[in-house]
Amino acid sequence: MRHGKYRFIIGFLAIPLALYGVLVISPFVQDFQISMTDWSGITSDKKFIGLDNYQKLIHNDLFWKALSHNIIMLLVVPLVTLSLGLFFAFMLNVGGRRRGSAAGVSGVRGSSIYKVVFFFPQVLSVTIIAVLWQQIYNPDNKEGLLNALLGNLGLASLQHAWLGDKSTALACIMVVMIWANVGFYVVLFSAGMASIPTEIYEAARLDGAERAMTFFRITLPLLRDTVATGWVYMGIMAMDGFAFVQLMSVNNGGPDESTDVLPLLLYKTAFRDNSQFGYAASMGVAMLIVTLVFAVLSMRLSRRDRIEF
């Protein structure tokens, strides 16, 4: 009986595990193998050079600059996105109160419509979002929506070449990344909050708890697993940032490499700078290590005893 049960389990797991090994694990192994060679990606000639690519990577100032931009994104984008997602979801689900005999805790009026509005950026492709925000950031006072708005409000002194100034370019791109993703987490956290019994909020309200207290003492602890998962997902997305930076930045990572990120540097190294596939593969390994460290730390810090309700 025991052997039959194990054969049954292995029979179901064999094909999925084989597909996972071929489609997921195998590319990582191949990337590491390529990083140990001087392969150009164009010819079949490969020469094993050991850790030379990694030594070259350590002394590459552009690599460290791009990594620092990814780390800034890693710290800012998930924090702001999840904070806004939690705030809006809380207001949409618990921010209002019923009147009359059915008095209780509820979302603000029209919350279902707001959820659709918040989620709208999710149905747009990254390309459309990037082109849309490029027009918003356009420094021309007539064509750029942001500068035109500032001019009409009498704030012409704040008009700026947003994506053309290295002091503001990275921040502008991070704003777009946050705008594009916060709606998804509004809907995700709203679904989590909808599963929390309203009696808990009612009891807290009867005890005199304010909204801020109910958020930090009730909502956030009960959504901690969801927030932790979202944090890892957003962190991985922040470690990427390739599409937004390539489409929005000046000259692919400019001005003056002020918006360059590791995926974009990897792309330019592999396909533009003399087709250095082996060197680019070492950057991919570095990205993998940083992402894994972030994911492991995030999951360990979020580990706790499960709260049942």
Side-chain angles (χ1 to χ4, degrees), residues 206-258:
L206 291 174
D207 288 338
E210 299 294 334
R211 282 196 180 95
M213 183 176 293
T214 59
F215 174 78
F216 288 106
R217 296 297 180 88
I218 297 176
T219 306
L220 192 56
L222 293 177
L223 289 180
R224 188 168 178 177
D225 290 339
T226 306
V227 174
T229 303
W231 186 274
V232 174
Y233 178 78
M234 279 302 301
I236 294 173
M237 194 211 74
M239 275 301 298
D240 184 5
F242 170 80
F244 287 103
V245 174
Q246 186 191 35
L247 292 169
M248 296 185 64
S249 64
V250 178
N251 296 327
N252 285 340
D256 195 23
E257 286 82 36
S258 60

Side-chain angles (χ1 to χ4, degrees), residues 136-195:
I136 293 175
Y137 286 135
N138 192 319
D140 190 292
N141 293 344
K142 296 181 179 179
E143 297 182 7
L145 178 62
L146 182 55
N147 278 348
L149 180 62
L150 291 173
N152 293 332
L153 293 175
L155 301 174
S157 60
L158 298 179
Q159 292 176 339
H160 198 69
W162 302 99
L163 294 174
D165 189 338
K166 62 181 181 181
S167 64
T168 59
L170 184 62
C172 290
I173 293 175
M174 287 193 291
V175 167
V176 179
M177 294 173 68
I178 294 168
W179 179 86
N181 289 278
V182 69
F184 172 80
Y185 291 98
V186 171
V187 176
L188 179 66
F189 294 146
S190 294
M193 292 177 190
S195 66

Side-chain angles (χ1 to χ4, degrees), residues 77-94:
V77 174
L79 178 63
V80 177
T81 303
L82 297 183
S83 297
L84 290 175
L86 282 169
F87 173 76
F88 290 133
F90 184 75
M91 296 306 297
L92 292 177
N93 289 272
V94 194

